[in-house]
C-alpha cells in the first residue's frame, strides 16, 4: 500500500513518529517534507502532519485529488494543536476538516502510531475509555477552596482537580503518553468529545464553586450583578485560554483573537502562558529539538534564581540531551528500529515524548527503582519577576508568572 | 446614561440579545414587567431555563455563534436560588468566559450575569437596560462580536 506522509508547518514530532511505519513490509512509505513542491502522483493513503494555514488550501486540494484516503495525524493537523494558541494573536491556523471535510482524524500530541496503522488499513477505530476511568487517582468532585498552579507531589491517590490542580482528564481519552503517570495533570490532547475546551471551562468553573466571585450593585436593575473587576476566580486562573484551549482553539467556536501579533509564531504561542507551563509547551512544540529547548528554558530560569540542582538531575538531563542527538541521527537515517529504541529510552527518563516528567529543579517521578527519588525530586518553586537570558533563549516574566515576551533563536 | 441616549446606528447593530432567565426570579420578574406593560428593547430575546445553573459556556457560545450579539443570564438574587446555588455557579463559569474574551482581545461585555426579584418587574427591565447600555459601549469601542468572527 502506498502511504505518503506530508509534513506541513511547525513541530515535526508526529512526522518523525511515522518513521515507525517504515519498518512494516505492507506499506510503501514516502516522506514529503516540502509539500509545496511535491510532484503529484497517485497514492492510496495520504497522512497530513503539522499545522495548516489558509494558504495551504491549494496543496491540500492537490493531495486530495490524488489520494484514496486522507488522514490527519496529530493535534496540529486535526485541531490546530498547540501552535494554534497563536490564533489569539490573529493567526489563522485551521484544522484539516476546514479544507477536507471527510478527512479522518487521529488526535493526540503525539498521535499514536497504532491508531494511524489501523486507520491506514481501513479498520474500525478502537473504542477507548475516558481517561478518568483508567486513572489511579480518586475524585470526590467537591468544590475547591483554591486553585493551585503547582502541587506538592506527595499525594498520589487524590484526583488532581480535587487538589485544586487543573487536569483535563474529564474530557480526554486514555492514551499512550499518559502525563498523569508522571505527576503531571492531563492536558487534554486527545479529547473524547466535541469542543472539549468549552466543556472543561464549564466543568472547572463549577468546581470553583467555593472560590469567591465578585458581585456589584447594578444601578438600573437595583439588584446585584456579576462584577467587572478581577476577583479570586480570575486571579486563580491567570491564563484561561492557554489552560483550556491548549490544543483546540480553532475548533472551539471562539472568535479569532485580536491581540496584536509580534510577527514570530513561537513568541505568539508562548506569550501569555504561565512560567510553570513553559517546559510543557516547549516539550510539545519543539519537534526533534524539544529536549534541548525545554532544558534550555528550564536552566535559564534555574540559573537566574539559584535553584540548586542535584547530581542525579544533572546526570539524567545530560542523558536526555545525548538521546536527543541520537534521535536526530535515527530520524536522518529513517531507521524505525533505532528510532523506537531511542524514543523508549527518552520515555524512561522524560516520561513521554512531551517530557511530562521534566520540570524545574528536577523530575516529577522516580526514574529508576534503585534511585533515591528525594535526590532529584522537583519542588514547588517561587515565581520571580524578571528578564531571563541564556544564549539562544530570552524571556520576560511578569509578577504573576505570565510570559510577556520570548525570543528563541535556534528552533 | 440611559437607553434613550444610544445612537440609532448603534441600536441597529443590536439585533438579538439572548437573555437566559431562570424559571423562578428571572422569568417571574419578566412576567411582572409584562403585566405592568413596561417597555424594553425589542432586541431582547428571552429564553426560559429552569435555573441559571443550567447555563454554561456551551450554551452561551452556541447563542453567540448562531447570531446573538450578546448573551446575559438573569437568575435569582444571591442566596435566594430556588435550587441550591445555581446562580453563583453560573457566575463562576461566566466570569471565566468573560476572561477568555478579554484574553482574545474582545470586550468582556458581550456576556453578563444579573439577578432580579420576581415581585419587581423593574429589576428585569433595569437589567435589560443595563445589558443594552453595556453592549452599546462595547459596539462603539470595537464593533460587534460578529466583526471578529
Amino acid at each position: 500500500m502506498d502511504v505518503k506522509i506530508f509534513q506541513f508547518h511547525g513541530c515535526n514530532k508526529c512526522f518523525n513518529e511515522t518513521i515507525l511505519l517504515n519498518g512494516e513490509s505492507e506499506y510503501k512509505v514516502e516522506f514529503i517534507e516540502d509539500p509545496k513542491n511535491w510532484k503529484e502522483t497517485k497514492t492510496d493513503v495520504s497522512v497530513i502532519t503539522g499545522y495548516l494555514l489558509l494558504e495551504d488550501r491549494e496543496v491540500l486540494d492537490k493531495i486530495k485529488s490524488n489520494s484514496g484516503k486522507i488522514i490527519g495525524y496529530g493535534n496540529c493537523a486535526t485541531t490546530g494543536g498547540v501552535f494554534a494558541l497563536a490564533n489569539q494573536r490573529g493567526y489563522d491556523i485551521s484544522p484539516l476538516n476546514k479544507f477536507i471535510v471527510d478527512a479522518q482524524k487521529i488526535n493526540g500530541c503525539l498521535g499514536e502510531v497504532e491508531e494511524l496503522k489501523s486507520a491506514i488499513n481501513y479498520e474500525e477505530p478502537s473504542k477507548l475509555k475516558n481517561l478518568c476511568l483508567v486513572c489511579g487517582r480518586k475524585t470526590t468532585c467537591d468544590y475547591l477552596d483554591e486553585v493551585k498552579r503547582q502541587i506538592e507531589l506527595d499525594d498520589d491517590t487524590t484526583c488532581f482537580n480535587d487538589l485544586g490542580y487543573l487536569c483535563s482528564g474529564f474530557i480526554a481519552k486514555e492514551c499512550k503518553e499518559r502525563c498523569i503517570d508522571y505527576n503531571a495533570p492531563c492536558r487534554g490532547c486527545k479529547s473524547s468529545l466535541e469542543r472539549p475546551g468549552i466543556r472543561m471551562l464549564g466543568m472547572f468553573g463549577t468546581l470553583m464553586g467555593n472560590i469567591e466571585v465578585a458581585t456589584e450593585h447594578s444601578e438600573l436593575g437595583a439588584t446585584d450583578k456579576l462584577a467587572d473587576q478581577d476577583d479570586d476566580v480570575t486571579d486563580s486562573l491567570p491564563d484561561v485560554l492557554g489552560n483550556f484551549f491548549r490544543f483546540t482553539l480553532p475548533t472551539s467556536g471562539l472568535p479569532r483573537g485580536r491581540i496584536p501579533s509580534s510577527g514570530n509564531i513561537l513568541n505568539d504561542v508562548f506569550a501569555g502562558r504561565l512560567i510553570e507551563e513553559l517546559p510543557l509547551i516547549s516539550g510539545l512544540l519543539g519537534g526533534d529539538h524539544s529536549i534541548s529547548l525545554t532544558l534550555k528554558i528550564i536552566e535559564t530560569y534555574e540559573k537566574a534564581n539559584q535553584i540548586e540542582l542535584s547530581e542525579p538531575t544533572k546526570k539524567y538531563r545530560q542523558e536526555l540531551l545525548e538521546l536527543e542527538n541520537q534521535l536526530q541521527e535515527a530520524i536522518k537515517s529513517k531507521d524505525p528500529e533505532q528510532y523506537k529504541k531511542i524514543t523508549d529510552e527518552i520515555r524512561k527518563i522524560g516520561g513521554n515524548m512531551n517530557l511530562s516528567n521534566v520540570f524545574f529543579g528536577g523530575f516529577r517521578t522516580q526514574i529508576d527503582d534503585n534511585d533515591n527519588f528525594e535526590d532529584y525530586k522537583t519542588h514547588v518553586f517561587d515565581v520571580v519577576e524578571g528578564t531571563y537570558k541564556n544564549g539562544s533563549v530570552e524571556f520576560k516574566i511578569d509578577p504573576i508568572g505570565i510570559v510577556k515576551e520570548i525570543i528563541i533563536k535556534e528552533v | 446614561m440611559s437607553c434613550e441616549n444610544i445612537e440609532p446606528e448603534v441600536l441597529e447593530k443590536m439585533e438579538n440579545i439572548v437573555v437566559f432567565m431562570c424559571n423562578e426570579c428571572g422569568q417571574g420578574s419578566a412576567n411582572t414587567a409584562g403585566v405592568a406593560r413596561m417597555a424594553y428593547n425589542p432586541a431582547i430575546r428571552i429564553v426560559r431555563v429552569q435555573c441559571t445553573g443550567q447555563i454554561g459556556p456551551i450554551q452561551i457560545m452556541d447563542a453567540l455563534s448562531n447570531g446573538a450579539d450578546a448573551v446575559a443570564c438573569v437568575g435569582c438574587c444571591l442566596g435566594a436560588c430556588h435550587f441550591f446555588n445555581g446562580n453563583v455557579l453560573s457566575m463562576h463559569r461566566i466570569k471565566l468566559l468573560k476572561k477568555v474574551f478579554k484574553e482574545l482581545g474582545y470586550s468582556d461585555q458581550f456576556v453578563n450575569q444579573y439577578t432580579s426579584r420576581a415581585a419587581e418587574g423593574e429589576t428585569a427591565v433595569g437589567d435589560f437596560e443595563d445589558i443594552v447600555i453595556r453592549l452599546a459601549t462595547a459596539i462603539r469601542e470595537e464593533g460587534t462580536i460578529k466583526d471578529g468572527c
Side-chain angles (χ1 to χ4, degrees):
Chain A
M1 191 184 277
D2 264 334
V3 181
K4 290 195 171 40
I5 322 273
F6 295 88
Q7 163 66 17
F8 281 79
H9 317 274
C11 147
N12 53 7
K13 231 169 1 173
C14 292
F15 183 67
N16 295 338
E17 187 80 356
T18 56
I19 290 174
L20 293 171
L21 294 179
N22 225 357
E24 313 271 332
S25 53
E26 66 214 90
Y27 308 126
K28 204 175 135 228
V29 189
E30 195 185 329
F31 299 94
I32 296 140
E33 291 186 45
D34 184 13
K36 266 191 188 156
N37 299 323
W38 172 57
K39 282 189 190 128
E40 292 175 57
T41 43
K42 291 276 172 206
T43 179
D44 296 322
V45 180
S46 291
V47 179
I48 312 287
T49 63
Y51 71 83
L52 306 166
L53 295 165
L54 291 181
E55 67 207 41
D56 297 320
R57 185 178 288 278
E58 212 175 292
V59 184
L60 286 163
D61 285 345
K62 250 199 280 177
I63 294 173
K64 190 185 174 189
S65 56
N66 285 297
S67 316
K69 177 176 188 172
I70 295 180
I71 302 168
Y73 179 55
N75 269 343
C76 288
T78 58
T79 59
V82 71
F83 282 95
L85 283 174
N87 281 13
Q88 184 185 10
R89 287 157 203 274
Y91 277 78
D92 213 343
I93 293 170
S94 306
L96 180 59
N97 284 114
K98 190 166 172 178
F99 307 100
I100 302 165
V101 179
D102 55 355
Q104 192 173 345
K105 296 185 287 184
I106 295 170
N107 288 336
C109 184
L110 191 67
E112 281 169 36
V113 82
E114 290 77 14
E115 281 184 41
L116 180 62
K117 272 183 211 166
S118 75
I120 292 173
N121 297 338
Y122 288 82
E123 287 164 10
E124 278 270 305
S126 55
K127 286 199 173 64
L128 297 170
K129 284 184 186 157
N130 182 289
L131 187 69
C132 293
L133 296 175
V134 294
C135 177
R137 293 171 181 261
K138 294 285 166 275
T139 178
T140 56
C141 280
D142 284 339
Y143 294 140
L144 301 176
D145 295 321
E146 61 169 332
V147 176
K148 288 187 189 135
R149 283 167 54 179
Q150 300 173 51
I151 50 162
E152 292 287 353
L153 304 179
D154 306 327
D155 189 342
D156 57 0
T157 51
T158 314
C159 172
F160 283 120
N161 283 310
D162 285 354
L163 293 170
Y165 193 37
L166 172 64
C167 173
S168 296
F170 292 109
I171 49 91
K173 285 184 198 163
E174 56 180 321
C175 66
K176 199 170 75 177
E177 301 292 319
R178 288 200 48 130
C179 299
I180 50 167
D181 286 353
Y182 305 100
N183 277 324
C186 169
R187 267 63 184 230
C189 68
K190 204 170 161 186
S191 55
S192 56
L193 32 73
E194 292 292 308
R195 296 193 288 173
I198 295 265
R199 282 170 204 270
M200 194 59 213
L201 186 74
M203 191 268 155
F204 202 73
T206 311
L207 263 190
M208 289 166 85
N210 273 359
I211 298 171
E212 196 162 325
V213 62
T215 51
E216 65 190 12
H217 181 72
S218 159
E219 290 286 323
L220 292 163
T223 50
D224 292 325
K225 75 176 281 291
L226 186 61
D228 289 333
Q229 84 239 30
D230 285 345
D231 56 15
D232 291 353
V233 174
T234 49
D235 289 347
S236 32
L237 286 171
D239 176 26
V240 183
L241 209 71
N243 276 329
F244 294 100
F245 302 93
R246 196 178 280 111
F247 300 103
T248 55
L249 192 51
T251 54
S252 63
L254 289 170
R256 192 146 58 99
R258 299 203 282 209
I259 309 254
S261 163
S262 66
N264 176 328
I265 185 155
L266 274 184
N267 189 5
D268 288 343
V269 172
F270 276 103
R273 308 287 86 82
L274 303 174
I275 172 76
E276 65 269 17
E277 288 289 313
L278 283 193
L280 173 91
I281 295 176
S282 57
L284 291 173
L285 57 65
D288 51 7
H289 290 88
S290 63
I291 295 176
S292 48
L293 177 64
T294 308
L295 291 181
K296 190 104 193 164
I297 289 177
I298 290 179
E299 279 163 10
T300 308
Y301 189 80
E302 285 168 345
K303 226 185 215 172
N305 290 317
Q306 284 98 39
I307 298 176
E308 290 291 319
L309 293 183
S310 63
E311 282 309 313
T313 310
K314 286 182 192 158
K315 185 191 94 187
Y316 281 126
R317 284 189 182 174
Q318 193 51 40
E319 273 180 42
L320 274 176
L321 286 171
E322 280 159 22
L323 284 167
E324 185 179 63
N325 289 335
Q326 294 172 23
L327 184 71
Q328 284 164 358
E329 290 298 314
I331 290 167
K332 250 183 223 159
S333 60
K334 304 271 184 241
D335 178 351
E337 274 170 32
Q338 194 66 10
Y339 178 86
K340 179 142 188 10
K341 201 179 129 214
I342 298 164
T343 48
D344 283 348
E345 290 287 317
I346 293 176
R347 284 193 165 95
K348 249 184 223 163
I349 304 174
N352 50 34
M353 293 304 283
N354 301 334
L355 308 175
S356 287
N357 201 15
V358 179
F359 200 59
F360 294 91
F363 290 85
R364 293 185 198 252
T365 45
Q366 189 161 3
I367 294 165
D368 194 321
D369 289 342
N370 303 323
D371 290 340
N372 179 10
F373 181 38
E374 286 301 322
D375 287 347
Y376 56 86
K377 187 179 181 180
T378 170
H379 289 285
V380 172
F381 67 91
D382 294 328
V383 170
V384 184
E385 177 189 6
T387 305
Y388 298 92
K389 193 175 176 184
N390 182 5
S392 53
V393 174
E394 186 181 340
F395 53 91
K396 208 188 267 179
I397 307 283
D398 80 351
I400 38 175
I402 294 178
V403 178
K404 285 287 161 202
E405 210 182 307
I406 190 163
I407 299 166
I408 298 165
K409 282 176 193 146
E410 60 199 19
V411 181
Chain B
M1 182 83 192
S2 81
C3 278
E4 286 141 25
N5 301 338
I6 299 173
E7 307 82 339
E9 61 270 23
V10 175
L11 276 176
E12 242 171 52
K13 287 184 181 164
M14 299 179 199
E15 288 171 351
N16 293 295
I17 301 169
V18 175
V19 184
F20 293 106
M21 300 193 97
C22 84
N23 201 16
E24 312 291 340
C25 295
Q27 187 65 49
S29 61
N31 283 347
T32 315
V35 170
R37 295 181 173 263
M38 291 177 183
Y40 57 84
N41 190 303
I44 301 276
R45 310 266 181 263
I46 297 175
V47 179
R48 188 173 70 164
V49 291
Q50 278 300 328
C51 174
T52 49
Q54 284 184 317
I55 303 302
I58 286 265
Q59 291 76 19
I60 293 170
M61 287 316 299
D62 275 349
L64 287 175
S65 54
N66 284 302
D69 298 297
V71 178
C73 267
V74 181
C76 300
C77 288
L78 296 174
C81 176
H82 283 60
F83 294 91
F84 181 56
N85 60 351
N87 52 355
V88 181
L89 291 184
S90 80
M91 275 188 185
H92 283 83
R93 298 192 284 255
I94 289 176
K95 189 80 191 188
L96 287 181
L97 192 59
K98 277 162 91 85
K99 187 158 196 300
V100 170
F101 279 112
K102 263 195 202 163
E103 286 178 8
L104 284 167
Y106 287 81
S107 160
D108 61 349
Q109 296 302 333
F110 296 118
V111 190
N112 258 314
Q113 174 146 4
Y114 296 84
T115 56
S116 69
R117 285 187 285 268
E120 297 169 34
E122 304 86 349
T123 54
V125 175
D127 289 342
F128 294 155
E129 211 169 310
D130 196 68
I131 297 167
V132 171
I133 291 169
R134 282 165 186 272
L135 181 59
T137 316
I139 289 176
R140 263 186 232 115
E141 279 168 12
E142 50 185 87
T144 63
I145 194 159
K146 287 173 198 158
D147 297 340
C149 294

